[in-house]
Amino acid sequence: MRSTFTGTAGAYRFTLLAGAACLAMPGAALAQDAEPEAGDPEASNVIIVTASKREQTLQETPISVSVTSGEVLEQAQIRDVLDLQTVVPSLRVSQLQSASATTFIIRGFGNGDNNFGIEPSVGVFIDGVFRSRSAAALSDLNMVQRIEVLNGPQSTLFGKNASAGVISVVTKEPQFEFGGLAEVSYGNYNALVVKGEVTGPITENIAFSLDGSYNKRDGYARITNLNTDVSDRNRWAVRGQLLIEPTPDFKVRIIGDYGKIDETCCLVSTLVAGPTAPAIGAVGGQLDTNFFSYNTFLSQKPLNTVDNYGGSIQADWSTGALTFTSITAYRELKNFLDQDVDFTSADIVTEVRDQEVTTFTQELRITSDFDGPINFLLGGFYFDESITQDSRLTTGPDARTFFALLTGNPATFNGVEANFGLPQGSIFSAGPLTAEQYSMDNTAWSVFGTVDFEPADGLVFTAGFNYTDDKKDFALAGQAFDELANINLVDAFITGATRANPGIPDVFTRAQFQALPSAVQQQLLAAATNPATNPLLGLSPFQFQPPFLNIPNAVEPGQTRDDKLTYLLRVAYQVSPEVNVYASYATGFKASSINLSRDSRPSFGDYIPGPGRSSFAAPASPITNAGLGVANLGTGSRFAGPENAEVYEFGLKAQWEGFGFNLALFDQTIKGFQSFLFTGTGFQLNNAGQQSVKGFEFDSTIRPTEGLAFNFAATYLDPIFDSFTASPVGNLTGLRPGGIPEWNLRVAATHTHEFGSSGTKLISRLDYSHESNVNINNGLPTFNAGLGNTRIFDREVNLVNGSMTLQLSNGLEVGAWARNLLNDQYIITVFDGVAQSGTVSGYPSQPRTYGGIVRFKF
């Protein structure tokens, strides 16, 4: 069971071991290179996978899985999972307002980029260890053997965090022969990337490896007023491994890693300057409305630091036809960001988040490899995670003047302060606006298993199950410091009206209001909620950070309790040595997600606000009856309930000499899809009823001559909201979900020219990725609502990447590369301007990058 490194050209031989761990139920698909020819990185017919815990070629594996080898990663200059989408058509990766805010999407499903309380729908695993938040999966890809993308629900083998799919990154094991590589790349924007790895034996039964990477680049955009870059790169990572093989049947792999990101990210551009733009200018602020100028105006540099570290121990013991596997892992993630969130050079509001995540996982598994017709897998998994977050909003010195100008009268707030006895200059004064403290503890356990029955040669029936129990306990506390937000404008009018009318008792509390005759109540409410009689109502748009009702409380326990049995049924048949077919039905599950944000609100029913969020006129409800209400309390959600997925899939895989293809047809549905959308001043989290998608995935390889390979892959998606009545932009039932292109195409050509028998080769690669034109979203809650949900922005992607590498027989490689060679420009996504009604901001695509590389393998 020993692994060996052979040759300077980079050929590896790996012995297959038991698979990887996963959250809520291990069994990650693990693909292994089986002595690929050097310079022949895309020979998919020699890839061995164990997605169903059997050693099979990729063509024989009865699931839709894309495997990208380490050689392709090198040639295509794929440095992290953000770049991976250019070679995997079913995968989409979006990096938004910070380096740590990244979303993974498969077949149109995925979320969790901007809220640590939201569980991912796409699980990311590195060496079998689940990375529970995207910020923990962003290190540069170094010493990678392969990356597997499993499409569609994978809960039977991966549990509660794989309702949309799985990304599994597998790194190289230590080798028992000395070897390694050193690599330096330099490109435009002063991009410097340095990588290194070394491996070898310590003793006859112990091998080691060390690898590291350093990635630094100037920003490709400019903060004009601050004369500094934005959207730069500054990250490094190190990792050490030990492989201990005391006997041929027992081995232990120990991994420890540390990664650091310290970046100024990311560029936000203004797509539409709304009616608030003159007020921005009046306080000395600026906007650049040339979306692709790569210039912006901010009051401060956006900062984001990520510390991501941990370790794992995997032990595999084989005895007879059984293999026992244990995977133990502990990880910590620290994420800090400090940024201007109004995205103008006016100093209006900034945000700080300080987040920490600690995760412990333990998996035990037993798998069989009997000669008879029945084989099985049985295991258990335990997950324990704690999350803490301290965050705050701070108003700058321009905030008061800016908001006062929006009222139409620069002295508005002075008059309000005089009327309510507030200190002059206190409303929107420079200083703290809000402060929040969040925590969440999540424990989960699962048992899982699969049984394969092969009644006839080549015909395999598979049944699998996963039972998961998930518990979350969360606490949220918040403080709102703005004086205006602490006043309910309806209640304030009622208090003033009763004090001015000697015939009506003064009203200062809900009890006093409820004690009034019904007719008097209705008369007061009618006047208090009419802008013609209550001019204070015009100030309600400026109360966007009201007081927060802490949780847990006497009504809301601050916990979720979920459990679910998911299962898999599949039949696979080898029609001939070249052709395999399969059909499957599987269910998936994702546990409840928590809205760890200042926009967390009690659900309607636990609290029922009065007109204009009046506390005086609020009907009876558990929160009101318990005396827990706070000023301007509204309703929303504390959490979104579980997602439940199901997929019908039919696949055909074929491989002949010089030609092979894989085809998967699917009909996939997620009930209760967890929708998380920015509304202009906050985030809304709720369950989206039901969303489904029909489509197919196709990939093929053609080798017309030796040394020349063409790859073509396509994903077609036809999604629909079967039911989504309560979206932030209205009823979306029957509409196509935004942001999901109909077509995703990937085309690549690789040519290897050998210079006689010298061993020197020239490898050239050109690839093209296309996403068909699509509406970016289904409308923005503020901007599009005012336009009848018209003028929805769209996106089309056409990326060309290329590389050329000269490989010398002595292990030296020299090359050149370019990404986005034709400098395609497109909008990644858009959002309502923060506290700027009618303004639309967004993220422009990255411009062309290029450079040269020198690599030495030994």
Side-chain angles (χ1 to χ4, degrees):
M1 297 183 69
R2 184 164 299 169
S3 305
T4 60
F5 172 100
T6 60
T8 59
Y12 293 85
R13 174 176 295 148
F14 295 93
T15 301
L16 221 46
L17 300 169
C22 65
L23 177 68
M25 192 263 15
L30 298 182
Q32 300 276 1
D33 290 333
E35 288 194 290
E37 294 291 331
D40 192 22
E42 302 194 33
S44 59
N45 58 316
V46 298
I47 300 293
I48 302 297
V49 298
T50 56
S52 57
K53 297 303 176 182
R54 287 176 176 267
E55 299 180 9
Q56 297 170 300
T57 68
L58 183 59
Q59 262 58 41
E60 294 171 334
T61 302
I63 61 172
S64 178
V65 54
S66 301
V67 180
T68 305
S69 68
E71 289 85 355
V72 170
L73 298 177
E74 285 184 353
Q75 291 177 10
Q77 286 296 299
I78 296 173
R79 302 202 182 279
D80 54 31
V81 289
L82 192 64
D83 295 332
L84 186 64
Q85 62 187 321
T86 61
V87 294
V88 180
S90 61
L91 174 67
R92 185 164 184 267
V93 185
S94 295
Q95 180 175 286
L96 303 180
Q97 80 273 19
S98 66
S100 57
T102 301
T103 300
F104 305 108
I105 300 169
I106 293 178
R107 291 180 177 172
F109 295 105
N111 53 19
D113 64 290
N114 201 37
N115 188 315
F116 272 20
I118 298 179
E119 300 208 359
S121 299
V122 175
V124 179
F125 298 79
I126 300 180
D127 289 320
V129 175
F130 177 61
R131 302 295 179 95
S132 65
R133 298 298 179 271
S134 61
L138 298 177
S139 297
D140 285 358
L141 300 173
N142 196 33
M143 203 172 171
V144 173
Q145 180 185 332
R146 72 197 174 274
I147 300 176
E148 302 174 2
V149 177
L150 283 67
N151 304 315
Q154 305 293 329
S155 293
T156 304
L157 293 180
F158 289 88
K160 66 171 183 148
N161 293 108
S163 59
V166 164
I167 301 171
S168 177
V169 179
V170 181
T171 66
K172 304 170 189 174
E173 288 187 346
Q175 308 297 304
F176 281 89
E177 291 187 16
F178 183 75
L181 68 81
E183 174 184 308
V184 177
S185 173
Y186 183 80
N188 60 332
Y189 303 108
N190 289 318
L192 176 64
V193 178
V194 180
K195 291 185 177 183
E197 62 185 67
V198 62
T199 186
I202 297 177
T203 69
E204 181 181 359
N205 298 312
I206 302 176
F208 81 97
S209 68
L210 292 172
D211 68 89
S213 64
Y214 174 77
N215 186 343
K216 188 172 179 63
R217 185 199 67 204
D218 293 344
Y220 60 75
R222 195 78 177 159
I223 306 175
T224 304
N225 59 299
L226 299 180
N227 194 30
T228 189
D229 289 345
V230 66
S231 291
D232 64 2
R233 276 284 186 269
N234 185 19
R235 56 183 64 180
W236 57 268
V238 293
R239 177 176 48 197
Q241 298 188 63
L242 285 178
L243 181 64
I244 305 170
E245 297 186 2
T247 71
D249 298 322
F250 180 67
K251 81 166 188 177
V252 177
R253 185 183 183 187
I254 304 172
I255 304 174
D257 66 271
Y258 188 100
K260 176 76 173 183
I261 296 175
D262 186 358
E263 296 177 351
T264 301
C265 191
C266 299
L267 172 67
V268 174
S269 294
T270 302
L271 195 61
V272 177
T276 61
I280 294 288
V283 296
Q286 291 177 279
L287 295 169
D288 189 330
T289 55
N290 182 352
F291 192 76
F292 292 106
S293 70
Y294 297 98
N295 292 320
T296 190
F297 292 87
L298 299 173
S299 62
Q300 67 175 54
K301 289 176 60 175
L303 303 177
N304 187 199
T305 61
V306 181
D307 292 272
N308 174 36
Y309 51 91
S312 64
I313 301 174
Q314 176 170 339
D316 297 278
W317 176 49
S318 297
T319 174
L322 300 178
T323 298
F324 297 86
T325 298
S326 170
I327 303 178
T328 307
Y330 176 81
R331 301 205 60 80
E332 292 193 11
L333 170 67
K334 298 179 180 179
N335 181 53
F336 176 84
L337 63 86
D338 183 358
Q339 63 183 159
D340 173 0
V341 292
D342 60 81
F343 304 112
T344 73
S345 57
D347 194 351
I348 299 172
V349 61
T350 59
E351 180 182 24
V352 170
R353 293 187 201 173
D354 192 355
Q355 301 164 310
E356 294 190 11
V357 183
T358 61
T359 309
F360 172 80
T361 58
Q362 174 63 58
E363 175 196 357
L364 297 172
R365 186 177 68 245
I366 178 173
T367 58
S368 73
D369 187 18
F370 298 124
D371 293 332
I374 296 178
N375 277 285
F376 70 91
L377 176 153
L378 184 64
F381 191 81
Y382 177 74
F383 173 84
D384 189 350
E385 181 170 80
S386 296
I387 298 174
T388 61
Q389 174 177 323
D390 291 316
S391 54
R392 62 183 180 271
L393 292 176
T394 301
T395 43
D398 296 329
R400 179 181 172 89
T401 304
F402 169 71
F403 289 122
L405 289 171
L406 295 184
T407 69
N409 182 352
T412 293
F413 296 143
N414 299 92
V416 173
E417 290 158 349
N419 287 337
F420 288 106
L422 301 174
Q424 284 294 308
S426 58
I427 295 176
F428 289 121
S429 59
L433 180 63
T434 68
E436 301 87 30
Q437 306 82 38
Y438 311 137
S439 65
M440 184 176 78
D441 293 318
N442 182 196
T443 58
W445 60 269
S446 66
V447 292
F448 55 91
T450 60
V451 176
D452 293 334
F453 174 55
E454 189 174 6
D457 190 32
L459 178 64
V460 179
F461 295 92
T462 300
F465 78 96
N466 181 300
Y467 176 79
T468 296
D469 183 273
D470 182 86
K471 298 179 180 179
K472 293 185 177 73
D473 295 280
F474 56 95
L476 294 85
Q479 301 82 45
F481 300 109
D482 181 60
E483 286 79 2
L484 180 60
N486 282 272
I487 299 172
N488 181 267
L489 302 174
V490 172
D491 293 347
F493 179 89
I494 292 173
T495 296
T498 56
R499 293 185 67 188
N501 190 333
I504 302 176
D506 292 348
V507 172
F508 297 97
T509 67
R510 178 179 182 274
Q512 291 172 338
F513 179 78
Q514 296 290 325
L516 296 175
S518 177
V520 176
Q521 292 183 33
Q522 295 304 315
Q523 184 180 12
L524 287 171
L525 270 179
T529 56
N530 186 344
T533 53
N534 183 4
L536 294 175
L537 296 178
L539 297 173
S540 59
F542 303 96
Q543 297 180 306
F544 50 83
Q545 294 300 333
F548 187 86
L549 177 59
N550 296 347
I551 183 174
N553 53 56
V555 174
E556 302 172 292
Q559 62 182 30
T560 62
R561 299 291 186 263
D562 302 319
D563 66 286
K564 186 70 175 180
L565 176 67
T566 58
Y567 57 93
L568 163 72
L569 300 172
R570 182 175 61 220
V571 58
Y573 181 60
Q574 185 179 25
V575 178
S576 69
E578 298 83 16
V579 179
N580 300 77
V581 295
Y582 70 90
S584 64
Y585 172 78
T587 62
F589 167 68
K590 175 181 161 183
S592 296
S593 287
I594 311 304
N595 193 359
L596 292 184
S597 81
R598 62 184 63 90
D599 308 293
S600 172
R601 298 285 185 270
S603 61
F604 187 85
D606 284 345
Y607 179 68
I608 304 174
R613 296 187 294 186
S614 167
S615 298
F616 291 176
S621 67
I623 286 176
T624 296
N625 297 344
L628 298 174
V630 296
N632 292 313
L633 181 61
T635 59
S637 68
R638 299 292 196 178
F639 60 89
E643 292 180 355
N644 292 286
E646 67 173 6
V647 60
Y648 296 88
E649 187 168 305
F650 170 80
L652 172 64
K653 301 193 175 190
Q655 185 68 48
W656 295 275
E657 185 69 27
F659 174 67
F661 73 89
N662 304 316
L663 173 67
L665 308 175
F666 55 86
D667 184 348
Q668 183 174 327
T669 301
I670 292 186
K671 297 178 181 179
F673 179 72
Q674 295 170 0
S675 171
F676 185 62
L677 184 66
F678 183 63
T679 61
T681 56
F683 289 89
Q684 179 174 318
L685 172 66
N686 58 2
N687 292 101
Q690 180 172 301
Q691 181 178 339
S692 62
V693 61
K694 297 180 175 68
F696 68 82
E697 292 151 344
F698 175 83
D699 68 81
S700 63
T701 301
I702 304 173
R703 301 175 185 279
T705 63
E706 185 175 352
L708 179 63
F710 295 101
N711 297 87
F712 173 76
T715 295
Y716 171 80
L717 300 174
D718 182 19
I720 189 172
F721 282 121
D722 301 296
S723 173
F724 193 9
T725 59
S727 88
V729 293
N731 187 356
L732 297 179
T733 301
L735 300 181
R736 182 186 181 95
I740 305 176
E742 186 175 23
W743 288 99
N744 286 268
L745 306 178
R746 305 293 185 267
V747 182
T750 305
H751 180 258
T752 303
H753 176 75
E754 298 190 22
F755 295 88
S757 59
S758 65
T760 298
K761 300 177 181 181
L762 180 65
I763 302 175
S764 304
R765 177 185 172 91
L766 190 68
D767 63 71
Y768 167 70
S769 63
H770 168 75
E771 294 180 13
S772 60
N773 189 272
V774 64
N775 288 340
I776 292 175
N777 51 39
N778 291 98
L780 298 174
T782 300
F783 177 78
N784 292 112
L787 299 173
N789 225 30
T790 59
R791 199 183 173 188
I792 296 176
F793 301 97
D794 57 11
R795 174 186 65 239
E796 181 176 329
V797 180
N798 294 281
L799 293 178
V800 177
N801 307 310
S803 67
M804 183 174 292
T805 304
L806 179 66
Q807 293 183 347
L808 304 181
S809 58
N810 62 2
L812 181 65
E813 301 179 7
V814 180
W817 56 270
R819 296 191 63 80
N820 192 11
L821 184 62
L822 302 183
N823 204 32
D824 185 39
Q825 295 179 331
Y826 55 92
I827 304 170
I828 297 175
T829 193
V830 295
F831 58 93
D832 280 316
V834 178
Q836 299 170 67
S837 178
T839 292
V840 178
S841 302
Y843 302 96
S845 58
Q846 182 172 304
R848 173 174 48 231
T849 56
Y850 53 86
I853 189 169
V854 178
R855 183 185 299 118
F856 181 67
K857 296 181 179 180
F858 56 91

